[in-house]
Amino acid sequence: MNAKQLKMLRIIFIVLLILLVFFIYNFTKKVRRFDESNEYFRQPIGSQKVELWMTPHQIKRVYHIDIERILGKKIGPFSMENPLSDYCNKNKGLDCESLLIQLNSLKNGH
Amino acid sequence: MDINILTFFEENMYVFLLFIPFIGQLGIPSGSIFFLLFAGSLSSDWRTLCILGIIGTISAILGDATGYLLGKRFFQINIIQKQLKKENIQKIYTDTCAYFKKEGKFAIFITRFLVVTPAPYLNYIIGLQKFDFAIFMRLVVIGEILYVGELLLLGFIFKDTFEYLTSIISYLGIILVVLYCMYLLGKVIFKPIQTTDV
């Protein structure tokens, strides 16, 4: 193997290392989010509140709220991981605070 | 027409599981990991889980077998045969054949349930290499039982938070692939320089 080929391989190695750091960072972020969610949902349901970090599907499943009707859109499989905050940030007509108040009152109504 | 694919899946779960793992194992992005986790989360009891497991496993195995046979068929195309007669391509093909003869069993098995991302593409390469079909299928059957079983079980246990598992599992697979590529490169780059005594 000549010096030029070895240099190319070293560059590829460094690129892979950067990618590895990026993927590990994202992986640990996801694992932490997963762990925190599990921890939160283990609490008695009476002490839980609808939070902005929750996904619409979690809100629908755990608190039996028709979240799609409230948000005015269907939640597809590729956006299931998006937190509630994404939906009230993207739509300017949907205020996050009043959305939370509405969802928590619906939750307490069950 | 406003179709909610998730509601549609909930209502036709068994039919979906006949096709999604099969398509996924052909290399067509079908959200296989997600739908298996979702199916697990929808299961109310172990009986449903077992039925889903059987359907999903058969579907995935058929997908793997089809990928292998397509790879093998691809090998027989005249254009490919002509390309393989070229010296440099012949060398690459012979080297990869030797590699898969040595590491193929481990690669096939591990890509079924742990490093799932390259699995469909590996099926085509394995078919192209004309790897022993019987050995391939034995490894595939065991691997797919573990793959489908683990995803359904994870979805069943983590009903409320399974959404995060799709990207966690995908990231884990990618990280392992990158680590393996770095290991192979590292063996070449950091090879100790052999000195000879004069």
Side-chain angles (χ1 to χ4, degrees):
Chain A
M1 185 171 290
N2 62 39
K4 198 176 173 185
Q5 286 171 329
L6 203 58
K7 189 181 172 186
M8 183 59 79
L9 287 180
R10 283 194 181 123
I11 292 168
I12 294 169
F13 187 87
I14 291 166
V15 168
L16 285 176
L17 188 61
I18 294 166
L19 281 174
L20 184 70
V21 168
F22 170 77
F23 286 131
I24 289 175
Y25 170 73
N26 279 299
F27 175 75
T28 49
K29 225 169 67 169
K30 298 278 178 191
V31 169
R32 204 178 309 126
R33 170 65 63 84
F34 174 66
D35 195 39
E36 284 167 356
S37 302
N38 282 323
E39 199 67 47
Y40 190 85
F41 289 122
R42 264 189 226 121
Q43 293 175 53
I45 201 150
S47 63
Q48 292 176 26
K49 279 193 322 175
V50 178
E51 304 276 5
L52 284 174
W53 57 261
M54 290 179 185
T55 66
H57 218 253
Q58 284 170 344
I59 294 166
K60 179 182 173 183
R61 201 170 44 241
V62 179
Y63 307 124
H64 309 289
I65 295 170
D66 189 358
I67 188 79
E68 284 168 342
R69 182 185 55 82
I70 292 165
L71 293 176
K73 63 188 293 179
K74 301 282 184 193
I75 310 297
F78 304 111
S79 52
M80 270 182 85
E81 247 190 274
N82 296 349
L84 188 65
S85 54
D86 278 8
Y87 294 91
C88 54
N89 284 336
K90 276 180 192 166
N91 294 303
K92 287 175 186 167
L94 202 57
D95 173 50
C96 288
E97 290 302 320
S98 45
L99 178 65
L100 274 181
I101 293 167
Q102 185 186 6
L103 291 171
N104 276 304
S105 67
L106 281 169
K107 176 204 166 256
N108 295 329
H110 283 282
Chain B
M1 191 167 59
D2 188 15
I3 299 168
N4 187 333
I5 198 164
L6 294 176
T7 312
F8 191 66
F9 178 80
E10 271 182 73
E11 291 165 3
N12 303 282
M13 198 164 48
Y14 296 100
V15 176
F16 259 76
L17 279 196
L18 265 177
F19 295 105
I20 288 174
F22 176 82
I23 294 166
Q25 294 307 95
L26 290 178
I28 300 164
S30 62
S32 183
I33 296 174
F34 170 81
F35 281 110
L36 282 166
L37 287 166
F38 190 35
S41 77
L42 293 173
S43 306
S44 50
D45 51 35
W46 289 99
R47 184 173 163 270
T48 312
L49 210 62
C50 285
I51 295 169
L52 290 171
I54 291 166
I55 296 169
T57 306
I58 292 171
S59 176
I61 290 168
L62 288 174
D64 287 326
T66 307
Y68 174 95
L69 294 168
L70 283 172
K72 196 174 172 187
R73 182 73 189 89
F74 190 67
F75 179 83
Q76 290 159 8
I77 296 170
N78 281 335
I79 299 168
I80 303 300
Q81 288 292 315
K82 277 182 189 166
Q83 292 299 315
L84 281 172
K85 282 178 182 153
K86 293 181 187 174
E87 202 183 308
N88 52 349
I89 295 176
Q90 174 74 277
K91 190 183 181 309
I92 294 169
Y93 180 75
T94 315
D95 287 348
T96 50
C97 272
Y99 175 80
F100 277 105
K101 210 171 177 179
K102 192 180 160 194
E103 309 280 358
K105 287 179 192 172
F106 178 74
I108 293 164
F109 181 65
I110 212 81
T111 51
R112 295 312 111 174
F113 73 96
L114 190 60
V115 191
V116 296
T117 313
Y121 314 106
L122 191 67
N123 291 339
Y124 294 119
I125 295 168
I126 290 282
L128 203 74
Q129 303 284 335
K130 292 193 277 183
F131 191 89
D132 189 293
F133 186 66
I135 297 173
F136 172 74
M137 284 309 292
R138 270 201 291 272
L139 293 163
V140 153
V141 167
I142 300 167
E144 294 298 359
I145 289 170
L146 288 170
Y147 170 65
V148 173
E150 87 185 353
L151 291 178
L152 287 174
L153 202 59
L154 284 171
F156 184 69
I157 294 168
F158 298 108
K159 284 182 191 300
D160 300 331
T161 53
F162 79 89
E163 294 97 311
Y164 303 119
L165 286 172
T166 310
S167 38
I168 286 172
I169 291 167
S170 303
Y171 272 123
L172 182 64
I174 292 168
I175 286 166
L176 290 171
V177 168
V178 170
L179 274 171
Y180 185 65
C181 292
M182 286 176 68
Y183 163 72
L184 291 174
L185 278 173
K187 278 203 314 185
V188 174
I189 296 169
F190 303 112
K191 200 174 171 181
I193 301 160
Q194 288 173 336
T195 53
T196 49
D197 293 326
V198 177

